[in-house]
Amino acid sequence: MEAGNVARDPVPIEPKMLLELYRRMVLVRMAETIHKEMLDRQEFYLMGHFGTGQEAVGIGMTAALLPTDYLFATHRGIAEFVGKGMSQEDIWAEYYCRSVGPAKGKGGLHLSDYKVGLVGLVGSLGADYSIAVGAALSSKIQKDGRVTLYSFGEGTSSQSDFGSTLNAAALWKLPLVFGMANNQWCEFAHYSDHVATGDVAPRAEGYGIPWSIADGQDVAAAYAATQEAVDRARRGEGPSFVEFKTYRAGPHFSGEPGAYMAEEDLCRWRERDPLLVAEQRLLAEGVATRDEMDKIAEAARAEVTSAVERARSLPDVTYEEMISGVYAGEVK
Amino acid sequence: MEAGNVARDPVPIEPKMLLELYRRMVLVRMAETIHKEMLDRQEFYLMGHFGTGQEAVGIGMTAALLPTDYLFATHRGIAEFVGKGMSQEDIWAEYYCRSVGPAKGKGGLHLSDYKVGLVGLVGSLGADYSIAVGAALSSKIQKDGRVTLYSFGEGTSSQSDFGSTLNAAALWKLPLVFGMANNQWCEFAHYSDHVATGDVAPRAEGYGIPWSIADGQDVAAAYAATQEAVDRARRGEGPSFVEFKTYRAGPHFSGEPGAYMAEEDLCRWRERDPLLVAEQRLLAEGVATRDEMDKIAEAARAEVTSAVERARSLPDVTYEEMISGVYAGEVK
Amino acid sequence: MAEIPFTAALNRAMAEEMKQDERVVVLGEDVRAGFFGATSGLVDIFGPERVLNTPIWESGIAGMALGLAVTGLRPVAELMFADFFYLAADEIANQMASWHYVTGGQTPVPIVVRTAAGGGFAIGYNHSQCTEASFLNPPGLKIVAPSTAHDAYGLLKSAIRDDNPVLFIEHKLLYGVPGEVPDEEYLIPLGEAAVRREGKDVTVLAWSTMVGKALQASEELEKQGVSVEVIDARTLVPLDEATLLASVAKTGRLVTVEEGRKRGGVGAEIAATVMEKAFGSLKAPVVRVAAPNIPVPSGPAAEAMHVPSVPSIIGGVRTALA
Amino acid sequence: MAEIPFTAALNRAMAEEMKQDERVVVLGEDVRAGFFGATSGLVDIFGPERVLNTPIWESGIAGMALGLAVTGLRPVAELMFADFFYLAADEIANQMASWHYVTGGQTPVPIVVRTAAGGGFAIGYNHSQCTEASFLNPPGLKIVAPSTAHDAYGLLKSAIRDDNPVLFIEHKLLYGVPGEVPDEEYLIPLGEAAVRREGKDVTVLAWSTMVGKALQASEELEKQGVSVEVIDARTLVPLDEATLLASVAKTGRLVTVEEGRKRGGVGAEIAATVMEKAFGSLKAPVVRVAAPNIPVPSGPAAEAMHVPSVPSIIGGVRTALA
Ligand SMILES: Cc1ncc(C[n+]2csc(CCOP(=O)(O)OP(=O)(O)O)c2C)c(N)n1
Ligand SMILES: Cc1ncc(C[n+]2csc(CCOP(=O)(O)OP(=O)(O)O)c2C)c(N)n1
Ligand SMILES: [Mg+2]
Ligand SMILES: [Mg+2]
């Protein structure tokens, strides 16, 4: 799929929902912008793997989930965490490693928040393939009606457990949705250096899993494609695989210039920036005015800023806190 | 594919070649029969994972390889080792852990024989997926014209590195052929307990790899299907995937009764025993007489018996031999 | 009180725990049939959803166990051979070992990973190892290695009730060995060693099959006038340091015995710890009896030479006394 | 003689070896760009076939290296973070470690697996570990962990020329550190430690970043009247026991310092070995300075508390002297 102003039929979505998803995307963009500014000012230790340009995928996917559903999210930006309901306060408490965070500040960048179904972000790519299978299997065994969404990047589709995971999901008809953001980059290399085929989703076919490819710049499209897969899973009809075509409109991480990316590609994709796409539709359909959008941005800035300020003002973990919590219960 | 007397057009094959492949299958069957008899008499320590009923796959596949090609073989019977050219003497020297074996008796059941391209049999299923990718990559880098054949069972298609291997092979257009014997059993469970789909080969499609499904009971068919894939690899056109439909006409290993297997299935498949299929054709096409076949069997018995006797008569490895050879070169 | 084989003791422990807690599920390759018999028959009682045959996917078995555990179940996963711990090492050493910590305790991580370790079938380097040594260093794991049917039952029940990941090491040569298992339910706490024989000249610390060999060696040594105290560690993490140190305080000498390789073995950790905490009592250096630093060799002759034997334990004790 | 960064020393070693032996190939994730810079630019000299970007597949990188090595090439594989050794543990600990032995030496197994270990970026449990301890127990591997640019160059060249699998542990905080690297080619043999500072009261054995901290601690201690001998192990397997034992024979006291966790750490093996071979010379128990038995914590504050520091090394020496 190419970027640019391709004429498309707009994917149906409730105006209110579109506005809410827009708000979430703005919040994500704001949080990452502020994060980046802090890094530029050398005020913060934690490198960012920002998801700029990909917000529609994370926000669209998670909009199809219930709060009780499980999500295995990625390192690429915080859209999924925001979409799943993790608050800015909790995110920043963890980022600053403060004991008030949901993981007592032990997670750091490895965000987890069990009250909203965020099971944990692993640092070794693909380590969570099988963990997600376990979570979905758990729901099947417990008949709790939950769906597990496994989110990953196209580069991670090369990792060991990928095929085994598709096989297990299909074998047991698990309520597991694969949401793959194909952002065309794997660190400093184009994905054609990593993946044998242009599309990854058709691999699902061979494992007996239905698949689709969705526009990752349009939050309504990402939402709709995921919803279809989630509904199928919820009906007990097993896994589905959705590939979102998108583009990492920035470097791999905050510490590198991304010099290997062609400026014209970046420009082309920025024309279809997911916030822009949503804004145009909100305006065109008369759902929101520019003024209302500015208010959304202001509110987002306030929300992020206050969460950052709070986290920053809290004390570092103590040695006692650091050393404890390896085991559940008391171990001598 | 069902067993039984399905009418098929015979796959073309040189009569002499068919006779030779038949001879190899007889040798394999004989060796495994003698192995089993020794176990029944409690005269031998090494359990057998016999390939009875699957000889056409291993012999057919390897017939398409040159002596310099690499083969990653499986635990299931010794057809591939015989087909690749490992002698009975060398096989039994290793089985008896005698220092005259190609691996100085260190391999035991993990047969390797570098002079015929047998790189090594790993004990952990699927550990050799990536090793085979490395071997094929090596040939591509060294431009040595070799092809690597990766042989495995359908149960091992669920193992971690499967998908990654297909991706890497396709990505780099490696001279790597996947030969999968679908013998319908994974230890004590039917493969429908392991694999989501009836056929595994179509998975290759999603990775951009051509695939085919071949009759695993007909050595000519197995040979022809592999040859096509090997030729493609040799021409630099990349990997192929061949699935052989066969049946494990016995227990998983010599120490268990295989009680979970239905007698009628066994009977049905034994009607298409690969030796029988080949014999019928040899007779029908006038390539060999019953008498000549009996002679082949006798020669096989003599070859195996003498190799077993020789190995048996040799001394056990010494402590010095056992303790040495961990490192290449001297290490204090 | 019945004499039942080790596998039956494991089977009873799992069946009881599954009965009284429906969150307990069993998964692994061929667990319905039961490759070594420990899980055989459970499927008939608890059904296929709670006794789940998995594809051949060791990292998956461990990872699925983790996914099950953090979503409310209590998996007992089987990895067919201890060698395969290395196939699941990311899930074991990086993930389940750290999960409680990095999630700040939002979830317990109640996992048992059972496996069959050690030699016995002479089938070499990928099916015969004792791999526990490589898993001492990761945090957050417990490691248990029973030597009798009695302990297998009591320890497995404790492991299943533990809210932490437990590596449960069974030796394949023990599976068929019968032992007395009382009819009444009992638990053996993780982290408690057992003094199998009292003695005063030297302490031998062993686990799994090596306990039996240590006891045989000590009988032999008794005849030679050496009084050996034999301790069965039972749990390697957490180690029962109190029992061990009390014994060393008495004997002043320690021999560790393990089937695994010596370099970087469990004995190294124990030796270093005992030196650290009881240097004053040590009359001689701690002796480590272990396998040489080679792959487990193939074939009965080499395998037998490679695994620590009663004579090599006697030799180790003699060295400690020298 | 130029002062060049550690990464440049590694880069020069690889470039020279690739130039003089066309069997040497480099592979790993983003090795063309060079994530930490060690492999940057090699692709421009040697082309994309000899400097191969791989998919994200750690077990594959290790396994492919093995396949390349046993078919005539000499791969230098990069696993981006030492934590990922666990993802490749079957290939490393079960396969490449045993390959020479189980094939009866039909092929050499010339592999170098380079990796970046340790903390420094405060990014926690999956990107900050020192994992070498788990790989002492498998047979057939060598383990190298240089502390200076000078050694990185000489040891990497030896590792590339070695016919055995070598785990080559680089610390991410060392990458940018410059050091003197002579213009003439030189090799440093694997298995030779370096005495970095002579002393008579206590021996400190360290490797990688801990050598620098040990030297700082020893300067501090010097002022306090304590004379510390600092040995840089450089190679952990095989360990230079001769140098270590000679030092301990002189000082009678040993402190091991490692960034990794204490339980089952490298220090345990060293402590046990020194006790075994030099019990008579030891005036005090070997002290192990190491990280606590917890996942590497996230965040700069916790990370700093967790990694052994100059004060904790001084504390360890004080304990050894007490
Ligand atoms: C097991 C493992 N290998 C390598 C890395 C380093 N790494 C972090 S992000 C990344 C690229 C991932 O690419 P993709 O899956 O496409 O996700 P994206 O970064 O594009 O969102 C890599 C290689 C890692 N974290 N874990
Ligand atoms: C990593 C690993 N897991 C499990 C086993 C035990 N095992 C040996 S053979 C086998 C079944 C293999 O099935 P398949 O791949 O279909 O080959 P087949 O035995 O049918 O020839 C299993 C599970 C093993 N050897 N290695
Ligand atoms: Mg990507
Ligand atoms: Mg099979």
Side-chain angles (χ1 to χ4, degrees):
Chain A
M1 173 181 306
E2 287 302 292
N5 291 316
V6 187
R8 293 167 213 269
D9 282 341
V11 175
I13 185 171
E14 286 278 302
K16 252 194 176 149
M17 186 66 174
L18 182 61
L19 188 61
E20 169 58 15
L21 299 189
Y22 172 71
R23 190 193 66 76
R24 292 181 194 175
M25 292 198 292
V26 170
L27 183 59
V28 169
R29 179 72 59 87
M30 186 62 75
E32 297 192 21
T33 304
I34 288 173
H35 186 164
K36 183 168 181 314
E37 287 165 3
M38 293 198 298
L39 287 166
D40 290 344
R41 291 195 307 267
Q42 307 203 329
E43 269 178 28
F44 193 42
Y45 80 99
L46 185 63
M47 62 164 74
H49 292 93
F50 299 125
T52 314
Q54 304 180 213
E55 292 88 348
V57 179
I59 293 300
M61 281 197 308
T62 49
L65 297 176
L66 299 179
T68 46
D69 288 336
Y70 297 123
L71 172 63
F72 289 82
T74 83
H75 61 286
R76 181 62 55 209
I78 57 168
E80 298 157 307
F81 296 92
V82 167
K84 195 67 176 70
M86 191 169 186
S87 71
Q88 287 297 310
E89 289 213 332
D90 282 347
I91 289 173
W92 289 98
E94 283 302 321
Y95 274 4
Y96 273 94
C97 299
R98 302 313 193 200
S99 59
V100 299
K104 300 199 178 120
K106 297 273 180 56
L109 69 96
H110 310 95
L111 299 176
S112 65
D113 191 351
Y114 278 67
K115 64 185 175 296
V116 296
L118 286 163
V119 182
L121 172 58
V122 298
S124 61
L125 290 170
D128 51 1
Y129 273 118
S130 57
I131 307 174
V133 173
L137 182 58
S138 184
S139 290
K140 192 183 168 192
I141 293 172
Q142 299 186 72
K143 299 178 182 54
D144 62 15
R146 298 181 204 222
V147 169
T148 296
L149 176 64
Y150 183 77
S151 161
F152 61 118
E154 85 291 357
T156 304
S157 74
S158 305
Q159 186 60 288
S160 288
D161 283 344
F162 173 84
S164 312
T165 291
L166 264 59
N167 179 57
L171 179 68
W172 294 323
K173 277 202 166 219
L174 297 182
L176 181 53
V177 174
F178 298 95
M180 194 196 80
N182 188 340
N183 69 1
Q184 309 193 27
W185 289 97
C186 307
E187 289 192 344
F188 315 142
H190 189 255
Y191 83 110
S192 53
D193 248 29
H194 284 249
V195 181
T197 52
D199 300 329
V200 175
R203 288 189 195 168
E205 181 102 24
Y207 295 88
I209 296 177
W211 57 273
S212 64
I213 293 180
D215 178 1
Q217 305 309 97
D218 177 358
V219 73
Y223 170 42
T226 313
Q227 189 68 60
E228 194 186 322
V230 167
D231 289 346
R232 188 180 298 129
R234 191 105 55 206
R235 287 193 306 266
E237 292 167 21
S240 313
F241 191 120
V242 189
E243 173 168 353
F244 302 95
K245 297 293 187 182
T246 182
Y247 196 80
R248 196 190 75 200
H252 167 52
F253 73 101
S254 50
E256 59 104 3
Y260 47 87
M261 301 176 84
E263 195 51 40
E264 67 250 41
D265 286 340
L266 282 165
C267 287
R268 204 155 44 90
W269 281 90
R270 279 179 191 143
E271 280 172 32
R272 293 205 70 239
D273 182 286
L275 274 72
L276 208 65
V277 170
E279 278 171 21
Q280 284 164 351
R281 180 158 176 189
L282 288 168
L283 289 171
E285 298 185 5
V287 181
T289 62
R290 175 60 54 196
D291 200 47
E292 283 162 338
M293 291 177 188
D294 289 346
K295 290 231 173 70
I296 285 174
E298 268 164 51
R301 177 176 297 282
E303 187 174 344
V304 175
T305 310
S306 107
V308 170
E309 285 312 320
R310 168 179 178 263
R312 201 203 319 254
S313 70
L314 289 165
D316 281 332
V317 292
T318 63
Y319 186 84
E320 246 327 297
E321 286 167 344
M322 176 199 78
I323 208 80
S324 65
V326 176
Y327 291 97
E330 281 311 301
V331 175
K332 56 168 186 172
Chain B
M1 173 181 308
E2 287 301 293
N5 290 317
V6 188
R8 292 167 214 268
D9 283 340
V11 174
I13 185 170
E14 287 279 302
K16 253 192 173 152
M17 185 67 174
L18 182 61
L19 188 61
E20 170 58 15
L21 299 189
Y22 172 71
R23 190 194 65 76
R24 292 181 194 175
M25 291 198 292
V26 170
L27 183 59
V28 169
R29 179 72 60 87
M30 186 63 74
E32 297 191 20
T33 304
I34 288 173
H35 186 165
K36 183 169 180 313
E37 288 165 2
M38 294 197 297
L39 288 166
D40 289 345
R41 292 195 306 267
Q42 308 204 328
E43 270 178 28
F44 194 43
Y45 80 98
L46 185 62
M47 61 164 76
H49 291 93
F50 299 127
T52 314
Q54 305 180 211
E55 291 87 348
V57 179
I59 294 300
M61 280 196 310
T62 49
L65 297 177
L66 300 179
T68 45
D69 288 335
Y70 297 123
L71 172 63
F72 289 82
T74 83
H75 61 286
R76 179 62 56 207
I78 56 168
E80 298 157 306
F81 296 91
V82 168
K84 195 69 176 69
M86 191 169 187
S87 71
Q88 287 297 310
E89 289 212 334
D90 281 347
I91 289 173
W92 290 98
E94 282 303 318
Y95 274 4
Y96 274 93
C97 299
R98 301 315 192 199
S99 58
V100 299
K104 301 199 177 121
K106 297 273 178 60
L109 69 96
H110 310 94
L111 298 176
S112 65
D113 190 352
Y114 277 67
K115 65 185 174 295
V116 297
L118 286 162
V119 183
L121 173 59
V122 298
S124 62
L125 290 170
D128 51 1
Y129 273 118
S130 57
I131 307 175
V133 173
L137 182 58
S138 184
S139 290
K140 192 184 169 194
I141 293 172
Q142 298 187 72
K143 299 181 183 51
D144 61 15
R146 298 182 203 223
V147 169
T148 296
L149 175 63
Y150 184 76
S151 161
F152 61 117
E154 85 290 357
T156 305
S157 74
S158 305
Q159 187 59 288
S160 290
D161 283 345
F162 173 85
S164 313
T165 291
L166 264 60
N167 179 57
L171 179 68
W172 295 322
K173 278 203 165 219
L174 297 182
L176 181 52
V177 174
F178 298 94
M180 194 197 80
N182 188 340
N183 69 0
Q184 309 193 26
W185 289 97
C186 308
E187 288 192 347
F188 315 143
H190 190 254
Y191 84 111
S192 55
D193 249 28
H194 284 249
V195 181
T197 52
D199 300 328
V200 175
R203 287 188 196 169
E205 181 102 24
Y207 295 89
I209 297 177
W211 56 274
S212 65
I213 293 181
D215 178 0
Q217 304 310 97
D218 177 359
V219 72
Y223 171 43
T226 313
Q227 190 68 61
E228 193 186 322
V230 168
D231 289 346
R232 188 180 298 130
R234 191 103 56 204
R235 288 194 304 267
E237 291 168 20
S240 312
F241 192 119
V242 189
E243 173 167 354
F244 302 95
K245 297 292 187 183
T246 183
Y247 196 80
R248 196 189 74 201
H252 166 52
F253 72 102
S254 50
E256 59 104 0
Y260 47 86
M261 301 177 83
E263 196 50 41
E264 67 249 42
D265 287 341
L266 281 165
C267 287
R268 204 154 45 89
W269 281 89
R270 279 179 191 142
E271 280 171 33
R272 294 205 70 240
D273 182 283
L275 275 71
L276 208 66
V277 170
E279 278 171 21
Q280 284 164 352
R281 180 158 175 188
L282 288 168
L283 289 170
E285 299 185 3
V287 181
T289 63
R290 174 61 54 198
D291 200 47
E292 285 163 336
M293 290 177 187
D294 290 346
K295 290 229 174 70
I296 285 173
E298 269 162 49
R301 178 175 298 280
E303 186 174 345
V304 175
T305 310
S306 108
V308 170
E309 286 312 320
R310 167 178 178 266
R312 201 201 320 254
S313 70
L314 289 165
D316 281 333
V317 293
T318 63
Y319 185 84
E320 247 328 296
E321 286 168 343
M322 176 199 78
I323 208 81
S324 65
V326 176
Y327 290 97
E330 282 311 301
V331 175
K332 57 167 186 172
Chain C
M1 177 151 69
E3 279 237 332
I4 60 171
F6 196 95
T7 40
L10 295 169
N11 190 277
R12 185 182 138 195
M14 284 184 273
E16 285 177 9
E17 294 305 306
M18 292 181 82
K19 185 167 255 166
Q20 72 181 33
D21 185 346
E22 64 170 20
R23 296 169 304 171
V24 179
V25 297
V26 165
L27 74 159
E29 292 162 22
D30 268 323
V31 288
R32 289 180 191 149
F35 191 83
F36 287 107
T39 56
S40 307
L42 292 174
V43 68
D44 303 322
I45 313 174
F46 302 104
E49 280 213 335
R50 290 183 66 198
V51 184
L52 190 73
N53 271 5
T54 67
I56 300 169
W57 184 29
E58 281 73 14
S59 61
I61 293 168
M64 286 190 281
L66 179 51
L68 291 164
V70 301
T71 57
L73 295 178
R74 304 184 74 84
V76 181
E78 179 174 302
L79 292 185
M80 206 174 278
F81 291 92
D83 314 65
F84 302 165
F85 275 8
Y86 289 121
L87 280 106
D90 181 47
E91 300 300 339
I92 294 173
N94 276 336
Q95 304 309 333
M96 56 175 81
S98 308
W99 208 267
H100 188 266
Y101 185 82
V102 297
T103 60
Q106 287 175 87
T107 175
V109 191
I111 303 170
V112 181
V113 185
R114 296 179 39 251
T115 197
F121 297 104
I123 49 174
Y125 83 113
N126 279 172
H127 287 82
S128 313
Q129 292 173 88
C130 293
T131 53
E132 60 266 26
S134 286
F135 296 88
L136 293 178
N137 193 247
L141 304 172
K142 297 184 180 183
I143 306 181
V144 179
S147 71
T148 67
H150 176 275
D151 285 6
Y153 168 83
L155 289 167
L156 183 53
K157 286 176 71 89
S158 292
I160 295 172
R161 294 187 196 183
D162 202 289
D163 277 341
N164 298 288
V166 180
L167 307 184
F168 198 88
I169 322 274
E170 304 158 9
H171 196 289
K172 42 182 97 64
L173 287 183
L174 290 176
Y175 280 136
V177 179
E180 294 200 338
V181 180
D183 295 331
E184 321 74 67
E185 174 178 66
Y186 60 92
L187 299 182
I188 298 175
L190 306 191
E192 280 191 14
V195 178
R196 295 296 181 198
R197 179 192 176 102
E198 302 207 354
K200 56 187 184 7
D201 298 331
V202 57
T203 302
V204 172
L205 181 87
W207 57 95
S208 193
T209 42
M210 290 298 133
V211 174
K213 291 193 184 182
L215 287 168
Q216 284 176 54
S218 64
E219 272 160 40
E220 201 57 49
L221 284 158
E222 178 86 55
K223 292 183 205 145
Q224 301 168 20
V226 180
S227 164
V228 180
E229 178 140 311
V230 177
I231 301 179
D232 181 349
R234 303 205 287 200
T235 302
L236 300 174
V237 180
L239 185 71
D240 182 353
E241 289 183 7
T243 298
L244 176 60
L245 294 173
S247 179
V248 173
K250 180 170 66 174
T251 62
R253 299 174 199 276
L254 175 63
V255 178
T256 64
V257 187
E258 70 190 294
E259 181 170 326
R261 283 173 287 267
K262 183 176 178 187
R263 187 184 57 230
V266 179
E269 172 59 30
I270 293 170
T273 299
V274 167
M275 168 160 52
E276 197 173 305
K277 304 204 170 162
F279 190 66
S281 343
L282 281 179
K283 297 176 197 146
V286 177
V287 172
R288 290 178 286 162
V289 174
N293 298 322
I294 66 172
V296 181
S298 295
E303 188 183 74
M305 288 189 283
H306 153 272
V307 175
S309 60
V310 173
S312 62
I313 298 172
I314 292 174
V317 171
R318 288 277 165 211
T319 304
L321 289 166
Chain D
M1 177 150 70
E3 280 238 332
I4 60 171
F6 196 94
T7 41
L10 295 168
N11 191 278
R12 186 181 138 194
M14 284 183 272
E16 285 177 8
E17 293 305 306
M18 292 181 83
K19 185 166 255 165
Q20 72 182 33
D21 186 345
E22 65 171 19
R23 296 169 304 170
V24 179
V25 297
V26 165
L27 74 159
E29 292 161 23
D30 267 324
V31 288
R32 289 180 190 148
F35 192 83
F36 287 108
T39 56
S40 306
L42 292 174
V43 69
D44 303 322
I45 313 175
F46 302 104
E49 280 213 335
R50 291 182 67 198
V51 184
L52 190 73
N53 272 6
T54 66
I56 300 169
W57 183 28
E58 280 73 13
S59 62
I61 293 167
M64 287 190 281
L66 180 51
L68 292 164
V70 301
T71 57
L73 296 178
R74 305 184 72 86
V76 181
E78 178 174 304
L79 292 184
M80 204 174 281
F81 292 92
D83 314 67
F84 302 165
F85 275 7
Y86 289 121
L87 280 106
D90 182 47
E91 300 299 339
I92 294 173
N94 277 336
Q95 304 309 334
M96 57 174 82
S98 307
W99 208 267
H100 188 265
Y101 185 82
V102 298
T103 61
Q106 288 174 87
T107 175
V109 191
I111 303 169
V112 180
V113 186
R114 297 178 41 251
T115 197
F121 297 104
I123 52 175
Y125 84 113
N126 278 173
H127 286 82
S128 313
Q129 292 174 88
C130 293
T131 54
E132 60 265 27
S134 286
F135 296 88
L136 293 178
N137 193 246
L141 303 172
K142 297 185 179 183
I143 306 181
V144 179
S147 70
T148 66
H150 177 275
D151 285 6
Y153 168 83
L155 289 166
L156 183 53
K157 285 176 71 89
S158 291
I160 293 172
R161 294 188 195 183
D162 202 290
D163 277 342
N164 298 287
V166 180
L167 306 184
F168 198 90
I169 321 272
E170 304 157 9
H171 196 291
K172 43 183 97 64
L173 287 184
L174 291 177
Y175 280 134
V177 178
E180 294 200 339
V181 181
D183 294 331
E184 321 73 68
E185 175 177 65
Y186 60 92
L187 299 181
I188 298 174
L190 307 191
E192 280 190 15
V195 178
R196 295 297 180 196
R197 179 194 176 101
E198 301 208 355
K200 55 186 188 1
D201 298 331
V202 57
T203 303
V204 171
L205 181 87
W207 56 97
S208 192
T209 42
M210 291 298 133
V211 174
K213 291 194 184 180
L215 287 168
Q216 284 177 53
S218 64
E219 271 160 42
E220 200 58 48
L221 284 157
E222 178 86 56
K223 291 182 206 147
Q224 301 168 20
V226 180
S227 164
V228 180
E229 179 141 311
V230 177
I231 301 179
D232 181 348
R234 304 203 288 199
T235 303
L236 300 174
V237 180
L239 186 70
D240 182 352
E241 289 183 6
T243 298
L244 176 59
L245 294 173
S247 178
V248 172
K250 178 170 69 173
T251 61
R253 300 173 198 276
L254 175 63
V255 178
T256 64
V257 187
E258 70 190 295
E259 181 169 327
R261 284 174 285 267
K262 183 176 179 186
R263 187 183 58 229
V266 179
E269 172 59 30
I270 293 170
T273 298
V274 167
M275 167 160 52
E276 199 173 303
K277 304 205 169 163
F279 191 65
S281 341
L282 280 179
K283 297 176 198 147
V286 178
V287 173
R288 292 179 283 162
V289 175
N293 298 321
I294 65 172
V296 181
S298 296
E303 188 183 71
M305 288 189 283
H306 153 272
V307 175
S309 60
V310 173
S312 61
I313 297 171
I314 292 174
V317 170
R318 288 277 164 212
T319 304
L321 288 167

